[in-house]
Amino acid sequence: PVGHGELPACPDTGGNHLNYAPAGGGFSCGTTGAPWVGAMVTISASVPMAATGGNLVQMNVWNSKVLDTSSFWSAAAPGQFTIPAGVSKVRVSLSIGQSGIGADQFLVHRNGAGVVGSFRISVPAGYSDDGANGVSGVLSVSPGDAITISYASVSAFTLTADTTTWFQIEAVP
């Protein structure tokens, strides 16, 4: 029996748990929330990135899938996530490990153009750290849209293949 102000423990089977006591009394254990939907990719080897003269260039370097729940990523189009049916909003995250920092910027594009909610990660020349990361706001999308990362750099740098270099997309409700 459960006394006043006490809730019994629910078995831990993973997932998001909700313990609730309905207004009419009693107690239930349950799992709430939708499963995570998205993809993460990385690089399998360090990649030299050319200076772009200030022009934005799509990063077609993502060649190693970490996870992909809904076929967002394809090795045939490694520089993009393609929005599957049933997804109308996403959030994009980018983490960059780099050496030879080249005064660079990284931006999110939807179908080749900037999108409201994008991030602009800027790494100035002479910056003593070797990485940067960013998370977009919620981006409105349609099935078939291509979500990419573009970069601009004053000088060449190397994108390092380590645990801090990855590109991720997640569907949001």
Side-chain angles (χ1 to χ4, degrees), residues 29-122:
C29 293
T31 300
T32 65
W36 188 85
V37 174
M40 177 188 278
V41 292
T42 189
I43 55 176
S44 59
S46 294
V47 180
M49 304 296 286
T52 67
N55 298 314
L56 287 168
V57 175
Q58 183 176 322
M59 295 178 72
N60 292 315
V61 299
W62 311 106
N63 64 0
S64 181
K65 177 175 63 174
V66 177
L67 59 97
D68 188 352
T69 66
S70 302
S71 299
F72 283 91
W73 184 78
S74 166
Q80 71 183 43
F81 289 128
T82 302
I83 304 302
V87 175
S88 62
K89 293 180 182 71
V90 297
R91 182 177 298 116
V92 176
S93 305
L94 175 70
S95 181
I96 295 293
Q98 64 186 72
S99 63
I101 296 167
D104 41 54
Q105 295 183 33
F106 302 90
L107 288 89
V108 177
H109 281 167
R110 180 185 61 208
N111 300 326
V115 58
V116 172
S118 176
F119 52 71
R120 179 184 304 266
I121 303 171
S122 295

Side-chain angles (χ1 to χ4, degrees), residues 12-17 31-32:
D12 186 8
T13 58
N16 300 318
H17 296 287
T31 300
T32 65

Side-chain angles (χ1 to χ4, degrees), residues 148-161:
T148 60
I149 298 292
S150 291
Y151 83 101
S153 185
V154 172
S155 58
F157 65 97
T158 299
L159 194 60
T160 56

